[in-house]
Amino acid sequence: MREAMARRLLRRGVSSGKITLPAVPGMVDEYVSMCNKIFGALGRRFTSDELEHLRSLLAKELANAYAGSNRSNIVISYDAPVGTVLNYFIQPQVSTLEESYDSWVAARKPPLFGINPDARVTALSTEIADPGTARVLDIGAGTGRNALALARRGHPVDAVELTPKFAEILRADAFKQLLNVKVIDRDVFETMDDLQKDYQLIVLSEVVSDFRNVAQLRAIFELAAECLAPGGRLVFNTFMPRPGYLSDDAVLELADAARELGQQVYTTIFTGEEIDVASAGLSLRLMTNDSVFEYEKENLPAGHWPPTGWYAEWVSGQDIFDVPREQSPVEMRWLVYQKTG
């Protein structure tokens, strides 16, 4: 009888709300389960047919949002008037990559990415005997953490940055410090007309983690093959599976969802095979493949690990998988290639 009274109680209530979540099409069942629990707690329990209809609508809008941007959300609005009716509305919410990073500038206190250059980038720079004659291309330079440090070592630096506010900060800091940094504020894939063909080092730090497909990775390898001087290095970091992950047909569905969620949390995953395909046929040879976590922890200046509060978990793949670091099936790796031709 108490349960019967509770049903009547809930039907006299009036509820409304909005749920905003990243759009991950491969996890549609999790969205349905969440909605079912919330609506059921309000006394509006869906039938199997109603849940299937909800699932079809969610699947459609999740796909639309994710196709529009890997910084997209799905917004589920609902209202439940007196009685047993519940009305809901599903809407995609798409933001560009530039808009996402602009919000970082507005909402977070600097330094956004730490105060030190990457230890891996610094090590490659110190191998160059005469920095003044070794031009560097920093793609996705952000606010200049690597570009400014390389310029202070004497390198002439071309810094390509897509986000206008990042480019503005970088340009201002380079001007204040009288550093030889040329800021190119555009998408690096638009053209190569304003790039040199004699770079000794090309850097992409925390950039490939924003890519959406292997074609973009291939474009970077092609750019490096064309713009590096013979013997020059390409260095980038990317998330890769640990051995055994993404290789079994039984986990393909999980793999797709992990890739989609990864793109939403700056953690795009590429397998070793995909990277090999992307670099195939070009005059580039893989020189080193190191764990970002281990390399940076060991080689950053004492007292500066981790560089930010979020860095250690992020490079360990824990922004996708809420598990201890040693159980995460992916991690970020530093890859260094040398131009052989």
Side-chain angles (χ1 to χ4, degrees), residues 89-222:
F89 181 69
I90 303 168
Q91 183 177 19
Q93 184 182 75
V94 177
S95 297
T96 66
L97 188 61
E98 301 96 304
E99 290 169 342
S100 297
Y101 280 119
D102 280 347
S103 70
W104 276 42
V105 176
R108 302 191 181 197
K109 293 182 179 180
L112 298 177
F113 304 100
I115 62 174
N116 293 293
D118 291 308
R120 176 73 272 188
V121 174
T122 299
L124 290 171
S125 172
T126 58
E127 293 177 10
I128 298 173
D130 185 3
T133 61
R135 183 173 293 276
V136 176
L137 175 62
D138 187 359
I139 298 174
T143 55
R145 183 170 50 88
N146 285 312
L148 297 175
L150 289 166
R152 284 192 289 268
R153 288 204 75 247
H155 292 281
V157 178
D158 291 347
V160 180
E161 176 49 50
L162 173 67
T163 304
K165 289 185 179 179
F166 284 177
E168 180 182 338
I169 294 169
L170 173 53
R171 185 178 285 108
D173 284 346
F175 179 77
K176 289 177 185 177
Q177 299 176 43
L178 302 177
L179 295 173
N180 187 2
V181 178
K182 175 185 176 183
V183 180
I184 303 169
D185 45 348
R186 63 169 177 81
D187 187 337
V188 72
F189 297 120
E190 287 179 2
T191 179
M192 288 194 291
D193 291 345
D194 51 358
L195 302 181
Q196 304 298 314
K197 300 297 188 290
D198 62 346
Y199 295 108
Q200 291 292 327
L201 181 62
I202 296 180
V203 178
L204 291 94
S205 177
E206 304 175 13
V207 173
V208 176
S209 52
D210 278 322
F211 284 5
R212 300 210 71 181
N213 51 57
V214 176
Q216 289 176 292
L217 192 57
R218 174 68 180 184
I220 287 298
F221 280 120
E222 291 176 343

Side-chain angles (χ1 to χ4, degrees), residues 248-277:
D248 188 339
D249 290 343
V251 298
L252 285 179
E253 183 177 351
L254 171 62
D256 289 341
R259 285 177 182 270
E260 293 167 354
L261 179 58
Q263 289 195 13
Q264 287 281 13
V265 294
Y266 310 87
T267 312
T268 298
I269 303 166
F270 288 110
T271 65
E273 181 180 359
E274 287 171 331
I275 295 170
D276 288 344
V277 168

